[in-house]
Amino acid sequence: MSTHQADRYSIIGNHLTQHRDLSLTAIGLGAYIQSLPDGAPVDIRTLAKRFPEGRERIAAALRELEAYGYIARVRERTPEGRIVTRTYAYQVPGSAPSRSRTPGTANPPRPPRRKDRPRPRLASRRNPRPKSVITRERRPVQMPPLPRPAAAAPSRDRVPPPRPAVPTPEGHRVPPPRPAVPTPEGHRVAAALLAGLRHADARLLLSERDVGRLAPAVLAWLERGASPESVHRALTTGLPPNLAHPAALLAHRLTVSLPPPLSARPPNPRPRPDPFQDCDGCDRVFRAPSPGYCRECRSRGEPKEPPP
């Protein structure tokens, strides 16, 4: 139903609203741009805030309108030296911009004509004035000056770069330790220790093959004087949060943290003090390896042996 509108309306040609090659998003966006006043921002960020369509659909619609000549985006340099992008909207595609000045802007240059731009289906009777819209302002990036190369130092001050380490024929991987004298009883103790690690952390659930492969390394720790509690603590403390290969981690810890072997001769124990004795002459308590008289009684000439 047609209704006469005295104000707040826009004149938009049917060649845009009934275009056969433009998408519905591009037709609606073109009609919205032609209804805006001069100087209104129509950059992708502003349009994405105005409409529910995302930036990708709006950018694609702008490319369609630009391909069919309804808009032209031109980069210009302002008198202050800044680079801005102006969008020129045409009510009829392919029309040349007017030389008259728009409010607040300089004379807009003629947008570049594209060779692949399709011909308009409806001829224009007059040359409409383009709408100059600033979409985005871009400041020129000032690159810092490159540092000057330092003066070459004298040859005597130059330090030769370190030479890369030559890999060994066996590679960088160190084999796990092995016991000096393996015993079946020691193997059973080591296997039981490895199988019980899952009680401390469920991620340390090992297969039977991994237990048999790591048991000799645990037995080597036990031969060097490490207690089963210390081995258990070394293997279960400080585990990483993302443990993907528990057997490889245990093999690494058993190899890298192997304790040194104990010396063959144990250190001399601290001598124990003599026990307390009661003096047979004065009943004074003193220390002595065996019962008898104290030092004062012996100095007074008391007999060294107690009476029968």
Side-chain angles (χ1 to χ4, degrees):
M1 207 179 214
S2 301
T3 304
H4 175 72
Q5 300 181 17
D7 56 356
R8 298 184 60 84
Y9 64 91
S10 301
I11 300 177
I12 301 174
N14 290 336
H15 54 83
L16 173 61
T17 58
Q18 300 179 8
H19 204 286
R20 294 184 177 274
D21 298 327
L22 290 176
S23 62
L24 182 61
T25 305
I27 293 174
L29 185 58
Y32 172 75
I33 292 176
Q34 291 190 12
S35 66
L36 294 176
D38 292 349
V42 290
D43 56 287
I44 298 177
R45 183 178 302 177
T46 303
L47 295 174
K49 293 180 180 179
R50 172 63 177 79
F51 298 102
E53 285 78 7
R55 295 188 179 184
E56 295 183 0
R57 296 185 62 183
I58 292 176
L62 288 175
R63 287 193 295 267
E64 291 184 43
L65 294 174
E66 189 175 8
Y68 284 92
Y70 285 96
I71 64 172
R73 290 179 283 189
V74 182
R75 292 192 183 99
E76 298 178 2
R77 185 181 297 273
T78 63
E80 293 81 9
R82 294 175 298 182
I83 299 177
V84 297
T85 301
R86 297 185 186 275
T87 300
Y88 297 94
Y90 301 100
Q91 295 179 353
V92 178
S95 59
S98 175
R99 292 297 179 180
S100 61
R101 295 183 53 150
T102 58
T105 58
N107 291 332
R110 182 186 182 91
R113 184 179 181 86
R114 298 192 175 185
K115 297 181 179 180
D116 55 348
R117 180 179 299 172
R119 296 290 183 179
R121 298 186 179 182
L122 181 62
S124 175
R125 296 184 180 179
R126 58 173 181 167
N127 185 14
R129 185 180 65 178
K131 296 183 180 181
S132 177
V133 183
I134 299 178
T135 59
R136 181 175 298 178
E137 180 178 311
R138 299 182 181 179
R139 298 185 179 182
V141 180
Q142 297 181 358
M143 300 298 294
L146 296 177
R148 296 182 179 180
S155 58
R156 60 182 180 182
D157 296 339
R158 293 182 179 178
V159 180
R163 297 181 179 179
V166 180
T168 58
E170 299 179 357
H172 296 282
R173 305 183 68 178
V174 180
R178 303 190 68 83
V181 182
T183 59
E185 182 63 24
H187 190 286
R188 283 194 296 269
V189 173
L193 191 151
L194 290 171
L197 295 179
R198 56 185 173 181
H199 297 294
D201 195 319
R203 297 175 298 174
L204 296 179
L205 178 61
L206 303 176
S207 63
E208 186 176 0
R209 177 182 178 183
D210 293 334
V211 171
R213 182 170 57 89
L214 297 176
V218 175
L219 185 57
W221 279 55
L222 299 178
E223 281 187 352
R224 299 195 175 200
S227 62
E229 292 78 9
S230 61
V231 178
H232 185 277
R233 190 183 314 109
L235 297 180
T236 57
T237 304
L239 296 177
N242 299 326
L243 182 58
H245 304 284
L249 176 64
L250 297 180
H252 175 75
R253 290 191 173 187
L254 290 173
T255 304
V256 176
S257 304
L258 180 67
L262 297 177
S263 58
R265 183 179 179 181
N268 295 328
R270 184 178 180 181
R272 299 182 59 183
D274 295 333
F276 290 104
Q277 306 292 344
D278 293 331
C279 179
D280 294 336
C282 62
D283 291 335
R284 181 178 297 178
V285 178
F286 69 100
R287 287 185 179 273
S290 59
Y293 292 92
C294 65
R295 184 182 302 177
E296 294 183 2
C297 293
R298 289 196 304 267
S299 64
R300 287 197 302 263
E302 296 292 342
K304 296 182 179 180
E305 296 294 336

